[in-house]
Amino acid sequence: MIVVMRPTATRDEIDGVRRTVEENGLEAFISVGEERTVIGVVGSDLERVAHLGTLDGVEQVIRISSPYKLASSEHQVERTRVRINGVELGLGQELVVMAGPCAVESREQLMETARCVKREGARVLRGGAFKPRTSPYSFQGLGLPALELLHEAHDTYGLPVISEIVDPTDVPAFDEHVDIIQVGARNMANFVLLKAVGQSRRPVLLKRGLSATIEEWLLAAEYILSAGNPNVILCERGIRTFETATRNTLDLSAVPVLRSRTHLPIIVDPSHGTGHRALVAPMALAGAAVGADGLIIEVHPDPANARSDGDQSLSFDEFGTLMDELRRLQFVRTADAQPMPATTSVASGEIEDVRNRIDDLDARLAEMVQERAALALEVQRRREPTAHGHDVRRERALLERAATGTTGPMSPVELTMVFDALLRASRSVQRRHAQSATEADAAAAGSGR
Ligand code: PEP
Ligand code: MN
C-alpha cells in the first residue's frame, strides 16, 4: 500500500501516518521527494489501516495487492481444478456443459430433460428447486421435493446435479441432494449465505451479482474461500446496463479479466445473460471461444409452456444443435461422458455388427457422392467450362423430390438438410473447377502473346 501525502503536509502529519502504521503492527517506509512525501506500508494485514486515507495531510491511498487474498492469482499461480463427482472443471479440461430446466416442474419434465441433455453430451444437470423470482407472485419452485427429484435424476442418469440455494439453513439438505450448490446473482452479496456455503463440502457456483464489479464478485468468492471451502466456480451471467434489447448484458470480457486475476474456474451463462433463445447459442460459442471452462444452459421440453424463463430456454432440438456446433469446433470432444442406462439390453456383439454395416454403408455413400460430383463436373464441362454448372431450378426440384420420395426414419426436413449439404459441396467443386479453367485460359492467352 502506498500513502501519498499532500504537498502541504506537515512534519507532524507525516509522523501521524507513520505512528498509525506502526501501532497496527505494520512497517512504514518514508520517501521524501521534492514536492511531496510518499509512505510505503508493508505487512500482512493491511485491512487494519484501511482508514489511512482519512488522516490529516493524506491525499490518496493506493492499494498495490488485491484485497482478495485467497481468490487472487497473486498468491496461487496454479489454476484451481474443481472435481465434481467424476467431472473436472478448469485448468485445461474440456469445456463442461451444464444444462437443464430453469426450474424443476415435475418428475417427467426433469427426467425427460436429463435424458436429452445427457444424450447430447452435457455433463452436469441443472434444475432450480428454490427460485428467487423478481415477483413474489411468480412460480417460486417446488422446494425440497425438487431437490429429491434431482437426487433421483443423479442416481438414474449418473449426472452430477446443480441447484440454487436461497436460505443458509438449507445447506444440509443441499449437501445431501446436490453435487454443486449455486448461489444466484441476487444473493451474491448475501454474506450470511456465502459464509454458510463456505462450510459446505460441496463445490459452489457463484454467479455474478446483477450490478457487481469484478472486484466485488471476487470478494464474494473470498467469503466462501475464507470460510473453508476451496471449490468455488465463478459464473458470468450478465449485468445490468442501459441496454434493453437483451435481458442483461453478457460481459464476456470478464472471462479474460478473471483469468488474469484469479485461479478459480469460470463459466458462462448465456441463458440469463441474454434472455432470448435465439441469442443463447451464439453467446455460448462466444463464451467457449473466450476461454470459459464451462457453460450453463437452460433447456426445457416445451419452452413455450415453461413455468419460468421459457423465453431463454432451448428446446431439445436447439440444445442438440448447439452441442453439435460445440463438438464441431472441438470445444466438446466426448459424444457422451458415460453410457446411458440401458433400457433394453442389447449384446455388445450385436451393436458391433450393426455399426459395421453402417461403416460399409458410409464407404459406399462416399463413393456415390464422388461419382455424383464427377457427373456434375461433366455437366459443367459440356455447358460452359468457365461457368458454374448448377441450375437453381433443378436443385429446387431435386430437394423437393428427395424430401418426399422415400420412407424411413428421416423426416422431410432432415432429408432436405442432407441434400442441401450435398448441393452446397457440389457447387463448391464446380466453382473450384470453373476457377482453375479460367486460370488455365488466362495462362494460355498469356503464353500465346
Ligand atoms: C438461475 O440460474 O436459474 C438463476 C436464477 O440465475 P441468476 O441468479 O443468474 O439470475
Ligand atoms: Mn432461470
Side-chain angles (χ1 to χ4, degrees), residues 102 126 131 247 272 298 308-309 312:
C102 175
R126 68 152 283 154
K131 298 304 302 173
R247 179 177 176 185
H272 295 87
E298 289 187 337
S308 66
D309 287 349
Q312 67 194 35

Side-chain angles (χ1 to χ4, degrees), residues 252 270 280-290 295 322 325-327 329 331:
L252 286 182
V280 171
M283 296 313 279
L285 296 175
V290 86
L295 298 170
L322 168 59
E325 199 58 17
L326 287 168
R327 261 190 291 275
L329 295 169
F331 290 120

